[in-house]
Each structure stands twice: as structure tokens, then as C-alpha cells.
Amino acid sequence: DSAKERFETRQQIDGIEDMKEPRTEWDSATNSYKTRTVDGGNKRIDSTKREQNEIKGNETPYLIESLKNDFDDLENSKSSYVKESYEQVINRLDRNLKTQSEEGYMLHKFNPDGSYGSSWHPWFNNNSSQLPIQEDETALVLYAMWKHFEHVKDFEFIQYMYENFVKKAAEFLYIYTEEDTGLPLPSSDPWEEPRGVFTYTTACTIAGLHAASKMCHILGHYNHEEKYQDAADKMKQALLFHLFDEEKGRFVKKIDRENGKTTNTDYTIDASVTTVWKLGILSPEDPRSVSTMNQLVDSLTVNTPIGGIARYTDDYYHSVTEPTNDIPGNPWIITTLWKAQWNISRAKDINDLKPAKEILSWVESHATKSGMLPEQLNPFTGQHLSVSPLTWSHATFVETVIDFLEKEKELS
């Protein structure tokens, strides 16, 4: 059955009726956007909010307001946007079947036709062969598939993906480890730069193994459920033992391993270690998460009028000045939004959400008039640097707004 037919079947079962698509149009008479909602009413979003670029009082910025309206429509009306989004998710996850290697891993890049794309990750280094991969790119597909199943409960989808993707991917994560410690073997980091055993990648791999275990449980493959769960638990213990520095009170960026021993530790403060709590490996309330994040925010905050959070200390990529304690690197959109997500995750009342709301406003203030977000900013002028638009920035903004709205609803 097609994704559309599967959705319509569930629609009948759930009794969801009269689904209509909300449409946003420009109303020249009022010089504002007019959104036709499911119940036939109109919502107007003043276009001048886009230009104001900051929150004043309780005013919500244009992009956030627009996303909030979409969120309300999804929550309250089960609009046809859900159906379209569901089909897009199915199609995107299905594409992974065409690009997965026989061994189960995903390579760095692919062309639109599914062929291997160019990459700067080498197959050979120091006279020895290596896999030119970022292991998170395999692990996070499993994590995404499980999160998708949690939301839609599509058993046909999960069975199909298990047979055609999950089995090979999960087995690769299981095999591509140190036998004694359970740590993942070396791969490249999310910034596509050094190679080693990273806190970020280890957290992603744990999450991928957890996801595979849960999918096995749902489908009744209990031996594999236990196998992947045990591997995830073993890897978590290795993460805490080898990648958390008790003396410094934080997770390190990476370690290098040789013959079962750590030969080098990279103590660079790196924003990517946020995956430890973002993916639920540790709670945001865990003292190790708190200590790591306090040091991360303190060291990576860009102390200029532009502000924001850098990727890591001494980041020279597209730098416009020598990195210093005040300017450890250029502010990135995604890393600054990770700080907002941290604020949201630990919020206990509505007032605790104010810092996150200010960051969302900050991000919008650096979008173009057409809404495009860059990879990073000039720390002195706010000029877009490197790629613009960057899908990662846009996706993280949407993710953060949804986190914000859900937490706001929870605390209200």
C-alpha cells in the first residue's frame, strides 16, 4: 500500500474527518499575511514583525508566530498538512534504502540518483584502509525511524524498514566496536574534520542501538532486542568511563585509541557534546550534563554585540579574526539554538523560557527578508558566512520552536 492509503486507513480508524489544508496568502488590502484555517476563520500576521527582528514585551516574532499557527493546526485539526508531511517523511526515509551499503553503513554523501558523492574522507590513511564515514549518519537514521514510529504507530512502515534497512544498519553499529570496551571504532565528527572516537558519535550510536532494540521489541525479535540493548548499555558505560573527565567535570571532544588503550585525549570544548542529553543518554538534570553545559556556555559564548555560541574553542573555519577567549569562533545558528534547547529542557516555569525565547528572536533577527538562515555569522557585523541557506539551521530552528511550544503548553 502507498503511504497515502495507509494514512487514510488510520484516518478512518481514528475518526478524523473533514481535513482541510491551511493556506497562507498575501492580502494586499491589509498589507499582511492572511491564513485560512481549518475552521474557516482568518489569522493575520503583520508583515512588519519580520522587520522588527526582536521581541518587545509579549510580542512573538513573525517566524515563530507562523510556526506556532502551524503547530496549533497540527495539534487541533489533524490538517492535511499532516498527511503530506507523513508522505514526505516516508519518502525520505525510503531513500536511505537506495544508499545504504551492503555492510549496513551510510557513506558521507550521495548524489540525487543514489550514487556515491564526492567526499574529503579518505579510504586510505597512513598506509592503511579505513571506512570514510561519519557513524552518526547511520545511527541517526535508526533514531529518526523510531521517533517517526512513536508518532504515527505505522507497523507496516516499521516492518518494511526493519527488513530493508534496520537489520543491516543495527548490525553494523553492533559490529563496528571495540570488543573489550564496546566503544565505537573511529570515524569522522559532525563537523567533517578530525577522526577519532567522539563523545558526539558515541552518544548517537547509543541512541541508534536503543532505537534498533525498540524496533526489534515491537516486531517480536526479542533476541535481537536484547542483543542491541546490551550493546547500547555497554557503550554507555564506556562513554562515561572513557569520555567523561572527572577532574574537569565535563565530556571531552574525542579520544584516540590504539591496541585497546587511549593514546590521546582532545579536551577541546565542543558544542556537539550536547547530544549526550539531547538524545537522552543522560538526563538534562544529571550533574555531568549540567557541569558540561555550564562550561560549554561559558567558553563558547561570543562576547561581541552580535553574540551567539561558537562550535568549539579556537575555531578557525571562516574566521574573520584570531580566535580568543572572547571570540572562540564565529557564532553558528545551530549551536546557539542548542543552548535554547538546553534552556527549554530545564525550564520549571514560564519565566525560565525567556532565555530560549530571546535566542529564537536572535535567530530570526539574522534571517534574510525571505527567511533564509546561514550556517554562521560574522561576530562583528552579523553578516552571513559560509553556506546560506543551510537546511540544518532551518531544521534546528523549527525543532527548537516546537520544543518551546510544547514546554510552554506543559508549564501553562
Side-chain angles (χ1 to χ4, degrees):
D1 293 342
S2 68
K4 180 179 180 181
E5 290 170 338
R6 291 201 302 273
F7 183 90
E8 288 175 344
T9 300
R10 286 196 309 282
Q11 179 184 346
Q12 294 171 1
I13 294 173
D14 295 341
I16 305 171
E17 299 178 350
D18 195 27
M19 299 172 70
K20 300 179 182 179
E21 181 179 2
R23 298 183 181 276
T24 303
E25 303 166 344
W26 178 257
D27 187 349
S28 57
T30 59
N31 197 37
S32 64
Y33 287 102
K34 181 172 68 174
T35 302
R36 188 170 59 211
T37 56
V38 178
D39 61 6
N42 289 329
K43 300 178 183 177
R44 282 185 170 81
I45 305 172
D46 188 348
S47 64
T48 59
K49 291 182 182 179
R50 184 194 296 273
E51 309 299 334
Q52 291 171 349
N53 293 331
E54 64 179 359
I55 295 177
K56 296 180 179 178
N58 293 323
E59 182 180 314
T60 305
Y62 170 81
L63 288 177
I64 304 175
E65 179 71 27
S66 179
L67 284 168
K68 186 176 189 303
N69 290 336
D70 290 342
F71 182 81
D72 289 342
D73 287 340
L74 292 176
E75 286 292 292
N76 300 328
S77 68
K78 303 291 185 183
S79 71
S80 62
Y81 179 72
V82 175
K83 183 191 299 184
E84 294 170 8
S85 296
Y86 177 79
E87 292 178 11
Q88 289 179 26
V89 170
I90 290 291
N91 290 335
R92 288 183 183 230
L93 290 174
D94 195 50
R95 286 178 201 155
N96 289 288
L97 308 183
K98 303 174 183 177
T99 53
Q100 186 184 33
S101 71
E102 285 299 317
E103 294 80 7
Y105 58 80
M106 306 291 288
L107 284 171
H108 181 203
K109 294 181 182 178
F110 298 92
N111 295 313
D113 64 358
S115 61
Y116 295 157
S118 60
S119 174
W120 37 87
H121 298 328
W123 286 90
F124 290 89
N125 189 35
N126 295 326
N127 297 318
S128 62
S129 62
Q130 62 184 34
L131 283 182
I133 64 170
Q134 296 167 220
E135 193 174 1
D136 64 298
E137 294 185 331
T138 302
L140 290 176
V141 176
L142 294 175
Y143 180 78
M145 286 179 175
W146 173 251
K147 299 303 287 186
H148 177 70
F149 175 80
E150 278 190 317
H151 184 66
V152 301
K153 300 296 189 295
D154 187 338
F155 287 88
E156 290 183 33
F157 161 80
I158 211 67
Q159 176 65 43
Y160 175 75
M161 285 298 177
Y162 178 81
E163 294 295 337
N164 292 281
F165 183 89
V166 173
K167 282 198 297 186
K168 288 195 297 185
E171 197 63 19
F172 172 76
L173 298 185
Y174 177 81
I175 292 173
Y176 196 66
T177 58
E178 275 190 12
E179 185 175 353
D180 291 338
T181 65
L183 283 169
L185 293 176
S187 65
S188 297
D189 76 341
W191 313 126
E192 306 173 339
E193 294 174 336
R195 185 176 173 86
V197 180
F198 296 87
T199 292
Y200 166 85
T201 306
T202 305
C204 291
T205 306
I206 294 168
L209 286 166
H210 272 308
S213 176
K214 292 174 182 176
M215 286 185 273
C216 288
H217 176 78
I218 288 295
L219 297 172
H221 303 300
Y222 300 121
N223 289 337
H224 284 80
E225 172 198 1
E226 184 177 358
K227 173 181 177 179
Y228 298 138
Q229 183 61 54
D230 288 347
D233 292 342
K234 182 177 181 180
M235 192 175 292
K236 178 178 177 179
Q237 293 306 310
L239 167 75
L240 299 177
F241 183 81
H242 292 281
L243 288 158
F244 183 81
D245 188 283
E246 295 285 351
E247 184 177 338
K248 294 184 180 295
R250 60 178 172 84
F251 285 95
V252 302
K253 178 172 182 171
K254 79 178 182 84
I255 55 176
D256 297 318
R257 302 274 295 173
E258 188 174 343
N259 298 323
K261 296 181 179 180
T262 297
T263 58
N264 179 63
T265 300
D266 186 342
Y267 292 102
T268 301
I269 295 180
D270 190 309
S272 67
V273 302
T274 55
T275 49
V276 170
W277 56 266
K278 276 172 56 65
L279 297 179
I281 312 305
L282 291 181
S283 163
E285 303 299 330
D286 188 287
R288 291 162 292 194
S289 299
V290 175
S291 177
T292 296
M293 286 302 298
N294 286 343
Q295 293 181 60
L296 188 153
V297 172
D298 183 60
S299 297
L300 299 184
T301 296
V302 177
N303 293 300
T304 68
I306 297 301
I309 300 291
R311 286 193 303 174
Y312 51 77
T313 53
D314 295 321
D315 184 2
Y316 282 86
Y317 184 57
H318 282 281
S319 62
V320 297
T321 184
E322 190 80 12
T324 64
N325 288 337
D326 284 333
I327 307 175
N330 296 332
W332 280 50
I333 299 297
I334 58 168
T335 52
T336 308
L337 285 167
W338 290 345
K339 180 188 174 185
Q341 292 176 6
W342 170 248
N343 297 139
I344 293 167
S345 71
R346 304 194 71 225
K348 299 296 187 295
D349 57 51
I350 291 295
N351 290 330
D352 291 339
L353 290 175
K354 184 177 179 181
K357 192 173 184 181
E358 290 172 349
I359 289 174
L360 289 170
S361 178
W362 177 88
V363 171
E364 182 171 2
S365 73
H366 293 293
T368 65
K369 290 185 178 180
S370 59
M372 291 193 297
L373 296 171
E375 178 182 76
Q376 52 185 298
L377 303 169
N378 183 307
F380 300 109
T381 67
Q383 175 188 358
H384 288 193
L385 295 176
S386 188
V387 178
S388 182
L390 180 69
T391 306
W392 199 359
S393 297
H394 285 256
T396 307
F397 180 77
V398 173
E399 176 190 26
T400 308
V401 170
I402 292 174
D403 287 349
F404 180 91
L405 295 172
E406 289 178 341
K407 178 65 77 160
E408 185 181 51
K409 183 178 179 180
E410 174 189 326
L411 298 175
S412 296

